[in-house]
Amino acid sequence: MKISGLQKNSFVDYPGKISAVIFTPGCNMDCFYCHNRILLDNKYQKLISCDDVLNFLENRKGFLDGVVVSGGEPTLQKGLLPFLTHVKSLGYPIKLDTNGTNPEVVKSCLDKGLVDYIAMDFKAPLYKYKDICRTDVELGNIEKSVDLIINSGINYEFRTTLAPGLNVDDIVEIAKQIRGAKLYVLQRCRNEKGEGLSYSAEFINSWLREIKSIVNSVETRGMSFSA
Ligand code: SF4
């Protein structure tokens, strides 16, 4: 298990919990808006030892409510399951962030009871996936991950970054793909300088109206609205 970053506490990455966030290097996508790019390039990887991270988590018991494993794409890590098993043995609830490309790994995590919350990015309607993630993704794997997560019995969310190029029809199409989901989150896209894009409230509200009846709950995250 390679770890390239540790955020010692976060109030926003695990709903309702103060969490530590662990970042793994490498990703099998190349989303044009990715802001974790430094984690994706082997040249820039400065790895942190797993033992150091586990010792940190051991010492923070009682101060942290949970652990988020994020990326890059954590399901690419060969040592993911043993690592999660170790974190679980410390008593922490775990949230896993994934792009949904490795349903077998997601299934193993679920079958072994190693994750308590999954956040899966649903990048685009399937017909536009390649436009956003600039990679030939096996779309059947995305669908398999959605099925696994919806039927998992644990808490979860699907989330879409409102990237330029996605329109309301695309968002409705994604909502249909995750029909009945507990929670669908629309999140703000950032430009190459890291500045969040601004959307008109009318624009976002019209999108929310369209998808409210398709999923159980919908939220916006990190949005700033223009007049
Ligand atoms: S899936 Fe996530 S980490 Fe990977 S390229 Fe896209 S935004 Fe970056």
Side-chain angles (χ1 to χ4, degrees), residues 94-120:
I94 297 174
K95 171 174 174 270
L96 177 70
D97 291 347
T98 180
N99 62 20
T101 49
N102 286 314
E104 295 308 320
V105 177
V106 170
K107 183 172 186 313
S108 297
C109 291
L110 290 168
D111 288 349
K112 292 180 191 305
L114 294 175
V115 288
D116 305 90
Y117 195 113
I118 295 185
M120 176 179 152

Side-chain angles (χ1 to χ4, degrees), residues 12-175:
V12 295
D13 286 276
Y14 195 148
K17 296 192 190 302
I18 301 171
S19 61
V21 186
I22 292 163
F23 296 94
T24 62
C27 188
N28 52 357
M29 289 187 180
D30 181 26
C31 307
F32 66 83
Y33 52 74
C34 182
H35 285 273
N36 286 347
R37 209 157 283 286
I38 194 107
L39 297 176
L40 311 184
D41 190 331
N42 285 328
K43 280 187 299 199
Y44 299 111
Q45 283 175 28
K46 283 192 186 145
L47 300 182
I48 303 172
S49 102
C50 279
D51 286 346
D52 286 352
V53 172
L54 290 167
N55 285 337
F56 166 80
L57 293 175
E58 169 87 53
N59 291 333
R60 286 298 168 101
K61 279 202 274 187
F63 297 99
L64 291 169
D65 305 318
V67 173
V68 177
V69 181
S70 189
E73 175 49 39
T75 64
L76 298 177
Q77 296 295 322
K78 292 213 181 334
L80 178 66
L81 269 69
F83 180 78
L84 296 181
T85 304
H86 204 138
V87 174
K88 265 276 162 202
S89 75
L90 298 175
Y92 286 106
I94 297 174
K95 171 174 174 270
L96 177 70
D97 291 347
T98 180
N99 62 20
T101 49
N102 286 314
E104 295 308 320
V105 177
V106 170
K107 183 172 186 313
S108 297
C109 291
L110 290 168
D111 288 349
K112 292 180 191 305
L114 294 175
V115 288
D116 305 90
Y117 195 113
I118 295 185
M120 176 179 152
D121 289 339
F122 204 115
K123 302 285 181 188
L126 297 179
Y127 50 79
K128 275 193 180 174
Y129 240 79
K130 194 170 179 184
D131 297 347
I132 300 291
C133 66
R134 302 191 300 188
T135 314
D136 279 318
V137 170
E138 178 52 67
L139 296 173
N141 283 341
I142 302 296
E143 294 175 299
K144 277 185 201 162
S145 291
V146 168
D147 279 350
L148 282 166
I149 292 168
I150 285 183
N151 294 306
S152 64
I154 65 168
N155 282 325
Y156 63 84
E157 66 188 46
F158 296 100
R159 53 194 190 189
T160 298
T161 297
L162 292 181
L166 292 179
N167 58 41
V168 66
D169 291 339
D170 295 330
I171 299 300
V172 170
E173 191 57 35
I174 296 171

Side-chain angles (χ1 to χ4, degrees), residues 162 166-168 198-208 225:
L162 292 181
L166 292 179
N167 58 41
V168 66
S198 185
Y199 310 88
S200 82
E202 188 188 351
F203 177 68
I204 293 298
N205 283 333
S206 70
W207 291 29
L208 296 179
F225 298 107

